[in-house]
PDB file of all heavy atoms in Angstrom:
ATOM      1  N   ALA N  72      10.711  28.610  -9.966  1.00 95.00           N
ATOM      2  CA  ALA N  72      11.997  29.257  -9.732  1.00 95.00           C
ATOM      3  C   ALA N  72      12.180  29.474  -8.236  1.00 95.00           C
ATOM      4  O   ALA N  72      11.257  29.881  -7.538  1.00 95.00           O
ATOM      5  CB  ALA N  72      12.045  30.593 -10.471  1.00 95.00           C
ATOM      6  N   GLY N  73      13.365  29.167  -7.752  1.00 94.00           N
ATOM      7  CA  GLY N  73      13.660  29.401  -6.337  1.00 94.00           C
ATOM      8  C   GLY N  73      13.168  28.313  -5.409  1.00 94.00           C
ATOM      9  O   GLY N  73      13.307  28.427  -4.191  1.00 94.00           O
ATOM     10  N   ALA N  74      12.583  27.248  -5.967  1.00 95.00           N
ATOM     11  CA  ALA N  74      12.023  26.200  -5.108  1.00 95.00           C
ATOM     12  C   ALA N  74      13.103  25.538  -4.256  1.00 95.00           C
ATOM     13  O   ALA N  74      12.910  25.316  -3.057  1.00 95.00           O
ATOM     14  CB  ALA N  74      11.295  25.155  -5.955  1.00 95.00           C
ATOM     15  N   LEU N  75      14.243  25.256  -4.873  1.00 96.00           N
ATOM     16  CA  LEU N  75      15.309  24.586  -4.117  1.00 96.00           C
ATOM     17  C   LEU N  75      15.857  25.497  -3.024  1.00 96.00           C
ATOM     18  O   LEU N  75      16.031  25.073  -1.880  1.00 96.00           O
ATOM     19  CB  LEU N  75      16.427  24.139  -5.063  1.00 96.00           C
ATOM     20  CG  LEU N  75      17.660  23.526  -4.386  1.00 96.00           C
ATOM     21  CD1 LEU N  75      17.269  22.306  -3.552  1.00 96.00           C
ATOM     22  CD2 LEU N  75      18.724  23.145  -5.420  1.00 96.00           C
ATOM     23  N   ALA N  76      16.085  26.763  -3.368  1.00 95.00           N
ATOM     24  CA  ALA N  76      16.616  27.704  -2.382  1.00 95.00           C
ATOM     25  C   ALA N  76      15.660  27.829  -1.200  1.00 95.00           C
ATOM     26  O   ALA N  76      16.080  27.831  -0.039  1.00 95.00           O
ATOM     27  CB  ALA N  76      16.842  29.067  -3.036  1.00 95.00           C
ATOM     28  N   ALA N  77      14.364  27.916  -1.504  1.00 95.00           N
ATOM     29  CA  ALA N  77      13.370  28.028  -0.434  1.00 95.00           C
ATOM     30  C   ALA N  77      13.387  26.784   0.442  1.00 95.00           C
ATOM     31  O   ALA N  77      13.313  26.863   1.674  1.00 95.00           O
ATOM     32  CB  ALA N  77      11.980  28.237  -1.039  1.00 95.00           C
ATOM     33  N   LEU N  78      13.526  25.641  -0.217  1.00 96.00           N
ATOM     34  CA  LEU N  78      13.540  24.376   0.532  1.00 96.00           C
ATOM     35  C   LEU N  78      14.758  24.298   1.449  1.00 96.00           C
ATOM     36  O   LEU N  78      14.660  23.878   2.602  1.00 96.00           O
ATOM     37  CB  LEU N  78      13.522  23.205  -0.460  1.00 96.00           C
ATOM     38  CG  LEU N  78      13.599  21.797   0.115  1.00 96.00           C
ATOM     39  CD1 LEU N  78      12.429  21.524   1.063  1.00 96.00           C
ATOM     40  CD2 LEU N  78      13.604  20.762  -1.004  1.00 96.00           C
ATOM     41  N   MET N  79      15.923  24.746   0.917  1.00 95.00           N
ATOM     42  CA  MET N  79      17.156  24.637   1.711  1.00 95.00           C
ATOM     43  C   MET N  79      17.043  25.435   3.011  1.00 95.00           C
ATOM     44  O   MET N  79      17.631  25.055   4.023  1.00 95.00           O
ATOM     45  CB  MET N  79      18.370  25.119   0.892  1.00 95.00           C
ATOM     46  CG  MET N  79      18.697  24.285  -0.344  1.00 95.00           C
ATOM     47  SD  MET N  79      18.905  22.509  -0.095  1.00 95.00           S
ATOM     48  CE  MET N  79      20.592  22.409   0.490  1.00 95.00           C
ATOM     49  N   THR N  80      16.283  26.543   2.982  1.00 94.00           N
ATOM     50  CA  THR N  80      16.162  27.333   4.205  1.00 94.00           C
ATOM     51  C   THR N  80      15.286  26.633   5.243  1.00 94.00           C
ATOM     52  O   THR N  80      15.285  27.004   6.406  1.00 94.00           O
ATOM     53  CB  THR N  80      15.553  28.727   3.919  1.00 94.00           C
ATOM     54  OG1 THR N  80      14.189  28.525   3.496  1.00 94.00           O
ATOM     55  CG2 THR N  80      16.311  29.472   2.856  1.00 94.00           C
ATOM     56  N   LEU N  81      14.518  25.643   4.798  1.00 94.00           N
ATOM     57  CA  LEU N  81      13.618  24.955   5.729  1.00 94.00           C
ATOM     58  C   LEU N  81      14.283  23.773   6.429  1.00 94.00           C
ATOM     59  O   LEU N  81      13.743  23.216   7.383  1.00 94.00           O
ATOM     60  CB  LEU N  81      12.381  24.437   4.979  1.00 94.00           C
ATOM     61  CG  LEU N  81      11.463  25.478   4.356  1.00 94.00           C
ATOM     62  CD1 LEU N  81      10.353  24.791   3.557  1.00 94.00           C
ATOM     63  CD2 LEU N  81      10.872  26.386   5.426  1.00 94.00           C
ATOM     64  N   LEU N  82      15.475  23.377   5.925  1.00 93.00           N
ATOM     65  CA  LEU N  82      16.046  22.117   6.404  1.00 93.00           C
ATOM     66  C   LEU N  82      16.358  22.125   7.891  1.00 93.00           C
ATOM     67  O   LEU N  82      16.303  21.088   8.549  1.00 93.00           O
ATOM     68  CB  LEU N  82      17.313  21.767   5.606  1.00 93.00           C
ATOM     69  CG  LEU N  82      17.109  21.529   4.106  1.00 93.00           C
ATOM     70  CD1 LEU N  82      18.400  21.012   3.476  1.00 93.00           C
ATOM     71  CD2 LEU N  82      15.978  20.565   3.831  1.00 93.00           C
ATOM     72  N   ASP N  83      16.715  23.304   8.412  1.00 87.00           N
ATOM     73  CA  ASP N  83      17.100  23.337   9.822  1.00 87.00           C
ATOM     74  C   ASP N  83      15.923  23.552  10.763  1.00 87.00           C
ATOM     75  O   ASP N  83      16.088  23.508  11.976  1.00 87.00           O
ATOM     76  CB  ASP N  83      18.153  24.434  10.051  1.00 87.00           C
ATOM     77  CG  ASP N  83      19.461  24.064   9.355  1.00 87.00           C
ATOM     78  OD1 ASP N  83      19.769  22.859   9.317  1.00 87.00           O
ATOM     79  OD2 ASP N  83      20.136  24.970   8.830  1.00 87.00           O
ATOM     80  N   GLU N  84      14.770  23.832  10.182  1.00 84.00           N
ATOM     81  CA  GLU N  84      13.612  24.017  11.056  1.00 84.00           C
ATOM     82  C   GLU N  84      13.222  22.690  11.684  1.00 84.00           C
ATOM     83  O   GLU N  84      13.221  21.665  11.022  1.00 84.00           O
ATOM     84  CB  GLU N  84      12.430  24.582  10.247  1.00 84.00           C
ATOM     85  CG  GLU N  84      12.597  26.062   9.989  1.00 84.00           C
ATOM     86  CD  GLU N  84      11.369  26.675   9.341  1.00 84.00           C
ATOM     87  OE1 GLU N  84      10.315  26.001   9.313  1.00 84.00           O
ATOM     88  OE2 GLU N  84      11.483  27.811   8.871  1.00 84.00           O
ATOM     89  N   PRO N  85      12.910  22.742  12.969  1.00 81.00           N
ATOM     90  CA  PRO N  85      12.529  21.484  13.611  1.00 81.00           C
ATOM     91  C   PRO N  85      11.217  20.965  13.024  1.00 81.00           C
ATOM     92  O   PRO N  85      10.319  21.752  12.698  1.00 81.00           O
ATOM     93  CB  PRO N  85      12.346  21.873  15.091  1.00 81.00           C
ATOM     94  CG  PRO N  85      12.158  23.357  15.087  1.00 81.00           C
ATOM     95  CD  PRO N  85      12.853  23.904  13.865  1.00 81.00           C
ATOM     96  N   ALA N  86      11.141  19.654  12.869  1.00 78.00           N
ATOM     97  CA  ALA N  86       9.894  19.049  12.391  1.00 78.00           C
ATOM     98  C   ALA N  86       8.833  19.203  13.465  1.00 78.00           C
ATOM     99  O   ALA N  86       9.143  19.272  14.653  1.00 78.00           O
ATOM    100  CB  ALA N  86      10.130  17.579  12.073  1.00 78.00           C
ATOM    101  N   ALA N  87       7.598  19.288  13.030  1.00 77.00           N
ATOM    102  CA  ALA N  87       6.501  19.311  14.001  1.00 77.00           C
ATOM    103  C   ALA N  87       6.597  18.043  14.838  1.00 77.00           C
ATOM    104  O   ALA N  87       6.889  16.970  14.310  1.00 77.00           O
ATOM    105  CB  ALA N  87       5.172  19.374  13.268  1.00 77.00           C
ATOM    106  N   PRO N  88       6.383  18.178  16.155  1.00 75.00           N
ATOM    107  CA  PRO N  88       6.486  16.970  16.984  1.00 75.00           C
ATOM    108  C   PRO N  88       5.449  15.941  16.543  1.00 75.00           C
ATOM    109  O   PRO N  88       4.355  16.315  16.122  1.00 75.00           O
ATOM    110  CB  PRO N  88       6.178  17.491  18.392  1.00 75.00           C
ATOM    111  CG  PRO N  88       5.469  18.796  18.196  1.00 75.00           C
ATOM    112  CD  PRO N  88       5.958  19.359  16.893  1.00 75.00           C
ATOM    113  N   PRO N  89       5.815  14.660  16.584  1.00 69.00           N
ATOM    114  CA  PRO N  89       4.851  13.635  16.167  1.00 69.00           C
ATOM    115  C   PRO N  89       3.634  13.667  17.091  1.00 69.00           C
ATOM    116  O   PRO N  89       3.767  14.018  18.263  1.00 69.00           O
ATOM    117  CB  PRO N  89       5.627  12.322  16.339  1.00 69.00           C
ATOM    118  CG  PRO N  89       6.754  12.645  17.271  1.00 69.00           C
ATOM    119  CD  PRO N  89       7.058  14.102  17.105  1.00 69.00           C
ATOM    120  N   PRO N  90       2.452  13.357  16.546  1.00 68.00           N
ATOM    121  CA  PRO N  90       1.253  13.384  17.373  1.00 68.00           C
ATOM    122  C   PRO N  90       1.420  12.456  18.576  1.00 68.00           C
ATOM    123  O   PRO N  90       1.961  11.364  18.463  1.00 68.00           O
ATOM    124  CB  PRO N  90       0.153  12.868  16.436  1.00 68.00           C
ATOM    125  CG  PRO N  90       0.863  12.235  15.285  1.00 68.00           C
ATOM    126  CD  PRO N  90       2.203  12.899  15.196  1.00 68.00           C
ATOM    127  N   VAL N  91       0.999  12.939  19.724  1.00 65.00           N
ATOM    128  CA  VAL N  91       1.150  12.138  20.939  1.00 65.00           C
ATOM    129  C   VAL N  91       0.233  10.918  20.837  1.00 65.00           C
ATOM    130  O   VAL N  91      -0.950  11.028  20.540  1.00 65.00           O
ATOM    131  CB  VAL N  91       0.772  12.974  22.177  1.00 65.00           C
ATOM    132  CG1 VAL N  91       1.033  12.164  23.444  1.00 65.00           C
ATOM    133  CG2 VAL N  91       1.566  14.268  22.199  1.00 65.00           C
ATOM    134  N   ASP N  92       0.831   9.765  21.069  1.00 62.00           N
ATOM    135  CA  ASP N  92       0.061   8.534  20.995  1.00 62.00           C
ATOM    136  C   ASP N  92      -0.665   8.333  22.324  1.00 62.00           C
ATOM    137  O   ASP N  92      -0.073   7.928  23.320  1.00 62.00           O
ATOM    138  CB  ASP N  92       0.999   7.359  20.705  1.00 62.00           C
ATOM    139  CG  ASP N  92       0.241   6.150  20.183  1.00 62.00           C
ATOM    140  OD1 ASP N  92      -1.006   6.180  20.238  1.00 62.00           O
ATOM    141  OD2 ASP N  92       0.883   5.195  19.736  1.00 62.00           O
ATOM    142  N   ALA N  93      -1.950   8.653  22.329  1.00 58.00           N
ATOM    143  CA  ALA N  93      -2.714   8.631  23.575  1.00 58.00           C
ATOM    144  C   ALA N  93      -2.861   7.206  24.115  1.00 58.00           C
ATOM    145  O   ALA N  93      -2.754   6.970  25.310  1.00 58.00           O
ATOM    146  CB  ALA N  93      -4.080   9.257  23.355  1.00 58.00           C
ATOM    147  N   SER N  94      -3.088   6.261  23.191  1.00 62.00           N
ATOM    148  CA  SER N  94      -3.323   4.902  23.654  1.00 62.00           C
ATOM    149  C   SER N  94      -2.007   4.147  23.770  1.00 62.00           C
ATOM    150  O   SER N  94      -1.273   4.030  22.806  1.00 62.00           O
ATOM    151  CB  SER N  94      -4.257   4.176  22.683  1.00 62.00           C
ATOM    152  OG  SER N  94      -3.790   4.355  21.364  1.00 62.00           O
ATOM    153  N   PRO N  95      -1.664   3.670  24.965  1.00 67.00           N
ATOM    154  CA  PRO N  95      -0.425   2.910  25.110  1.00 67.00           C
ATOM    155  C   PRO N  95      -0.508   1.613  24.323  1.00 67.00           C
ATOM    156  O   PRO N  95      -1.596   1.075  24.112  1.00 67.00           O
ATOM    157  CB  PRO N  95      -0.374   2.619  26.618  1.00 67.00           C
ATOM    158  CG  PRO N  95      -1.781   2.741  27.106  1.00 67.00           C
ATOM    159  CD  PRO N  95      -2.482   3.697  26.181  1.00 67.00           C
ATOM    160  N   ILE N  96       0.640   1.138  23.863  1.00 70.00           N
ATOM    161  CA  ILE N  96       0.654  -0.091  23.061  1.00 70.00           C
ATOM    162  C   ILE N  96       0.438  -1.291  23.980  1.00 70.00           C
ATOM    163  O   ILE N  96       1.207  -1.502  24.911  1.00 70.00           O
ATOM    164  CB  ILE N  96       1.996  -0.226  22.307  1.00 70.00           C
ATOM    165  CG1 ILE N  96       2.136   0.934  21.319  1.00 70.00           C
ATOM    166  CG2 ILE N  96       2.080  -1.562  21.588  1.00 70.00           C
ATOM    167  CD1 ILE N  96       3.461   0.964  20.590  1.00 70.00           C
ATOM    168  N   PRO N  97      -0.601  -2.065  23.734  1.00 73.00           N
ATOM    169  CA  PRO N  97      -0.809  -3.256  24.557  1.00 73.00           C
ATOM    170  C   PRO N  97       0.312  -4.258  24.310  1.00 73.00           C
ATOM    171  O   PRO N  97       0.948  -4.221  23.257  1.00 73.00           O
ATOM    172  CB  PRO N  97      -2.151  -3.815  24.064  1.00 73.00           C
ATOM    173  CG  PRO N  97      -2.650  -2.872  23.012  1.00 73.00           C
ATOM    174  CD  PRO N  97      -1.540  -1.955  22.628  1.00 73.00           C
ATOM    175  N   SER N  98       0.565  -5.138  25.286  1.00 79.00           N
ATOM    176  CA  SER N  98       1.718  -6.026  25.149  1.00 79.00           C
ATOM    177  C   SER N  98       1.465  -7.098  24.088  1.00 79.00           C
ATOM    178  O   SER N  98       2.357  -7.462  23.343  1.00 79.00           O
ATOM    179  CB  SER N  98       2.060  -6.662  26.490  1.00 79.00           C
ATOM    180  OG  SER N  98       0.967  -7.444  26.938  1.00 79.00           O
ATOM    181  N   ALA N  99       0.269  -7.619  24.009  1.00 87.00           N
ATOM    182  CA  ALA N  99      -0.030  -8.626  22.981  1.00 87.00           C
ATOM    183  C   ALA N  99      -1.375  -8.306  22.347  1.00 87.00           C
ATOM    184  O   ALA N  99      -2.375  -8.963  22.606  1.00 87.00           O
ATOM    185  CB  ALA N  99      -0.029 -10.024  23.584  1.00 87.00           C
ATOM    186  N   PRO N 100      -1.398  -7.264  21.527  1.00 92.00           N
ATOM    187  CA  PRO N 100      -2.690  -6.824  20.980  1.00 92.00           C
ATOM    188  C   PRO N 100      -3.288  -7.851  20.022  1.00 92.00           C
ATOM    189  O   PRO N 100      -2.559  -8.558  19.322  1.00 92.00           O
ATOM    190  CB  PRO N 100      -2.337  -5.535  20.249  1.00 92.00           C
ATOM    191  CG  PRO N 100      -0.872  -5.613  19.971  1.00 92.00           C
ATOM    192  CD  PRO N 100      -0.273  -6.480  21.024  1.00 92.00           C
ATOM    193  N   ILE N 101      -4.611  -7.918  20.001  1.00 95.00           N
ATOM    194  CA  ILE N 101      -5.324  -8.737  19.021  1.00 95.00           C
ATOM    195  C   ILE N 101      -5.482  -7.928  17.740  1.00 95.00           C
ATOM    196  O   ILE N 101      -5.254  -8.417  16.639  1.00 95.00           O
ATOM    197  CB  ILE N 101      -6.728  -9.140  19.538  1.00 95.00           C
ATOM    198  CG1 ILE N 101      -6.618  -9.889  20.864  1.00 95.00           C
ATOM    199  CG2 ILE N 101      -7.461  -9.975  18.480  1.00 95.00           C
ATOM    200  CD1 ILE N 101      -5.969 -11.233  20.769  1.00 95.00           C
ATOM    201  N   LEU N 102      -5.877  -6.682  17.885  1.00 96.00           N
ATOM    202  CA  LEU N 102      -6.054  -5.833  16.707  1.00 96.00           C
ATOM    203  C   LEU N 102      -4.700  -5.261  16.310  1.00 96.00           C
ATOM    204  O   LEU N 102      -4.058  -4.589  17.097  1.00 96.00           O
ATOM    205  CB  LEU N 102      -7.012  -4.672  17.005  1.00 96.00           C
ATOM    206  CG  LEU N 102      -8.415  -5.002  17.508  1.00 96.00           C
ATOM    207  CD1 LEU N 102      -9.240  -3.711  17.631  1.00 96.00           C
ATOM    208  CD2 LEU N 102      -9.113  -5.977  16.566  1.00 96.00           C
ATOM    209  N   PRO N 103      -4.252  -5.552  15.081  1.00 96.00           N
ATOM    210  CA  PRO N 103      -3.003  -4.932  14.626  1.00 96.00           C
ATOM    211  C   PRO N 103      -3.257  -3.468  14.269  1.00 96.00           C
ATOM    212  O   PRO N 103      -4.393  -3.076  14.019  1.00 96.00           O
ATOM    213  CB  PRO N 103      -2.632  -5.734  13.375  1.00 96.00           C
ATOM    214  CG  PRO N 103      -3.753  -6.674  13.105  1.00 96.00           C
ATOM    215  CD  PRO N 103      -4.874  -6.396  14.060  1.00 96.00           C
ATOM    216  N   ARG N 104      -2.188  -2.699  14.263  1.00 94.00           N
ATOM    217  CA  ARG N 104      -2.292  -1.393  13.616  1.00 94.00           C
ATOM    218  C   ARG N 104      -2.342  -1.655  12.132  1.00 94.00           C
ATOM    219  O   ARG N 104      -1.726  -2.596  11.652  1.00 94.00           O
ATOM    220  CB  ARG N 104      -1.067  -0.525  13.944  1.00 94.00           C
ATOM    221  CG  ARG N 104      -1.053  -0.078  15.378  1.00 94.00           C
ATOM    222  CD  ARG N 104       0.115   0.803  15.626  1.00 94.00           C
ATOM    223  NE  ARG N 104      -0.326   2.208  15.587  1.00 94.00           N
ATOM    224  CZ  ARG N 104       0.427   3.205  16.077  1.00 94.00           C
ATOM    225  NH1 ARG N 104       1.597   2.958  16.592  1.00 94.00           N
ATOM    226  NH2 ARG N 104      -0.017   4.432  16.023  1.00 94.00           N
ATOM    227  N   PRO N 105      -3.043  -0.866  11.344  1.00 94.00           N
ATOM    228  CA  PRO N 105      -3.696   0.398  11.699  1.00 94.00           C
ATOM    229  C   PRO N 105      -5.111   0.231  12.271  1.00 94.00           C
ATOM    230  O   PRO N 105      -5.690   1.211  12.717  1.00 94.00           O
ATOM    231  CB  PRO N 105      -3.766   1.129  10.359  1.00 94.00           C
ATOM    232  CG  PRO N 105      -3.928   0.022   9.368  1.00 94.00           C
ATOM    233  CD  PRO N 105      -3.119  -1.127   9.894  1.00 94.00           C
ATOM    234  N   LEU N 106      -5.643  -0.985  12.300  1.00 96.00           N
ATOM    235  CA  LEU N 106      -7.017  -1.162  12.771  1.00 96.00           C
ATOM    236  C   LEU N 106      -7.191  -0.632  14.186  1.00 96.00           C
ATOM    237  O   LEU N 106      -8.194   0.016  14.508  1.00 96.00           O
ATOM    238  CB  LEU N 106      -7.393  -2.650  12.696  1.00 96.00           C
ATOM    239  CG  LEU N 106      -8.798  -3.030  13.146  1.00 96.00           C
ATOM    240  CD1 LEU N 106      -9.865  -2.256  12.381  1.00 96.00           C
ATOM    241  CD2 LEU N 106      -9.031  -4.537  12.992  1.00 96.00           C
ATOM    242  N   ARG N 107      -6.186  -0.892  15.052  1.00 95.00           N
ATOM    243  CA  ARG N 107      -6.267  -0.448  16.443  1.00 95.00           C
ATOM    244  C   ARG N 107      -6.454   1.065  16.533  1.00 95.00           C
ATOM    245  O   ARG N 107      -7.176   1.564  17.387  1.00 95.00           O
ATOM    246  CB  ARG N 107      -4.997  -0.880  17.167  1.00 95.00           C
ATOM    247  CG  ARG N 107      -5.175  -1.103  18.661  1.00 95.00           C
ATOM    248  CD  ARG N 107      -4.040  -1.934  19.221  1.00 95.00           C
ATOM    249  NE  ARG N 107      -2.748  -1.278  19.158  1.00 95.00           N
ATOM    250  CZ  ARG N 107      -1.655  -1.809  18.601  1.00 95.00           C
ATOM    251  NH1 ARG N 107      -1.690  -3.009  18.068  1.00 95.00           N
ATOM    252  NH2 ARG N 107      -0.523  -1.138  18.579  1.00 95.00           N
ATOM    253  N   ASP N 108      -5.788   1.800  15.649  1.00 94.00           N
ATOM    254  CA  ASP N 108      -5.907   3.261  15.671  1.00 94.00           C
ATOM    255  C   ASP N 108      -7.314   3.711  15.300  1.00 94.00           C
ATOM    256  O   ASP N 108      -7.846   4.661  15.866  1.00 94.00           O
ATOM    257  CB  ASP N 108      -4.918   3.893  14.685  1.00 94.00           C
ATOM    258  CG  ASP N 108      -3.478   3.541  15.037  1.00 94.00           C
ATOM    259  OD1 ASP N 108      -3.203   3.305  16.227  1.00 94.00           O
ATOM    260  OD2 ASP N 108      -2.642   3.487  14.115  1.00 94.00           O
ATOM    261  N   TYR N 109      -7.894   3.045  14.306  1.00 95.00           N
ATOM    262  CA  TYR N 109      -9.235   3.432  13.870  1.00 95.00           C
ATOM    263  C   TYR N 109     -10.273   3.084  14.930  1.00 95.00           C
ATOM    264  O   TYR N 109     -11.264   3.782  15.096  1.00 95.00           O
ATOM    265  CB  TYR N 109      -9.584   2.747  12.544  1.00 95.00           C
ATOM    266  CG  TYR N 109      -9.015   3.450  11.336  1.00 95.00           C
ATOM    267  CD1 TYR N 109      -7.700   3.243  10.940  1.00 95.00           C
ATOM    268  CD2 TYR N 109      -9.800   4.331  10.590  1.00 95.00           C
ATOM    269  CE1 TYR N 109      -7.171   3.889   9.834  1.00 95.00           C
ATOM    270  CE2 TYR N 109      -9.284   4.978   9.475  1.00 95.00           C
ATOM    271  CZ  TYR N 109      -7.968   4.748   9.101  1.00 95.00           C
ATOM    272  OH  TYR N 109      -7.451   5.403   8.006  1.00 95.00           O
ATOM    273  N   VAL N 110     -10.044   1.970  15.652  1.00 95.00           N
ATOM    274  CA  VAL N 110     -10.985   1.547  16.691  1.00 95.00           C
ATOM    275  C   VAL N 110     -10.792   2.391  17.951  1.00 95.00           C
ATOM    276  O   VAL N 110     -11.739   2.633  18.700  1.00 95.00           O
ATOM    277  CB  VAL N 110     -10.800   0.041  16.990  1.00 95.00           C
ATOM    278  CG1 VAL N 110     -11.558  -0.380  18.230  1.00 95.00           C
ATOM    279  CG2 VAL N 110     -11.273  -0.772  15.785  1.00 95.00           C
ATOM    280  N   GLY N 111      -9.569   2.863  18.165  1.00 92.00           N
ATOM    281  CA  GLY N 111      -9.281   3.649  19.350  1.00 92.00           C
ATOM    282  C   GLY N 111      -8.863   2.784  20.530  1.00 92.00           C
ATOM    283  O   GLY N 111      -8.966   3.201  21.680  1.00 92.00           O
ATOM    284  N   GLY N 112      -8.407   1.589  20.272  1.00 92.00           N
ATOM    285  CA  GLY N 112      -7.938   0.696  21.327  1.00 92.00           C
ATOM    286  C   GLY N 112      -7.933  -0.728  20.819  1.00 92.00           C
ATOM    287  O   GLY N 112      -8.213  -0.973  19.640  1.00 92.00           O
ATOM    288  N   ASP N 113      -7.605  -1.655  21.700  1.00 94.00           N
ATOM    289  CA  ASP N 113      -7.567  -3.059  21.288  1.00 94.00           C
ATOM    290  C   ASP N 113      -8.975  -3.659  21.346  1.00 94.00           C
ATOM    291  O   ASP N 113      -9.952  -2.977  21.678  1.00 94.00           O
ATOM    292  CB  ASP N 113      -6.583  -3.836  22.166  1.00 94.00           C
ATOM    293  CG  ASP N 113      -6.140  -5.150  21.531  1.00 94.00           C
ATOM    294  OD1 ASP N 113      -6.302  -5.308  20.304  1.00 94.00           O
ATOM    295  OD2 ASP N 113      -5.635  -6.020  22.255  1.00 94.00           O
ATOM    296  N   LEU N 114      -9.067  -4.922  21.044  1.00 95.00           N
ATOM    297  CA  LEU N 114     -10.371  -5.589  20.937  1.00 95.00           C
ATOM    298  C   LEU N 114     -11.223  -5.402  22.188  1.00 95.00           C
ATOM    299  O   LEU N 114     -12.444  -5.223  22.094  1.00 95.00           O
ATOM    300  CB  LEU N 114     -10.145  -7.085  20.658  1.00 95.00           C
ATOM    301  CG  LEU N 114     -11.348  -7.905  20.193  1.00 95.00           C
ATOM    302  CD1 LEU N 114     -11.995  -7.295  18.953  1.00 95.00           C
ATOM    303  CD2 LEU N 114     -10.917  -9.337  19.900  1.00 95.00           C
TER     304      LEU N 114
END
Side-chain angles (χ1 to χ4, degrees):
Chain N
L75 175 58
L78 177 59
M79 296 307 278
T80 67
L81 296 175
L82 297 188
D83 292 325
E84 282 187 12
V91 184
D92 198 350
S94 49
I96 297 176
S98 62
I101 303 293
L102 303 185
R104 290 182 99 164
L106 180 56
R107 208 162 65 234
D108 300 332
Y109 278 82
V110 169
D113 199 18
L114 194 55

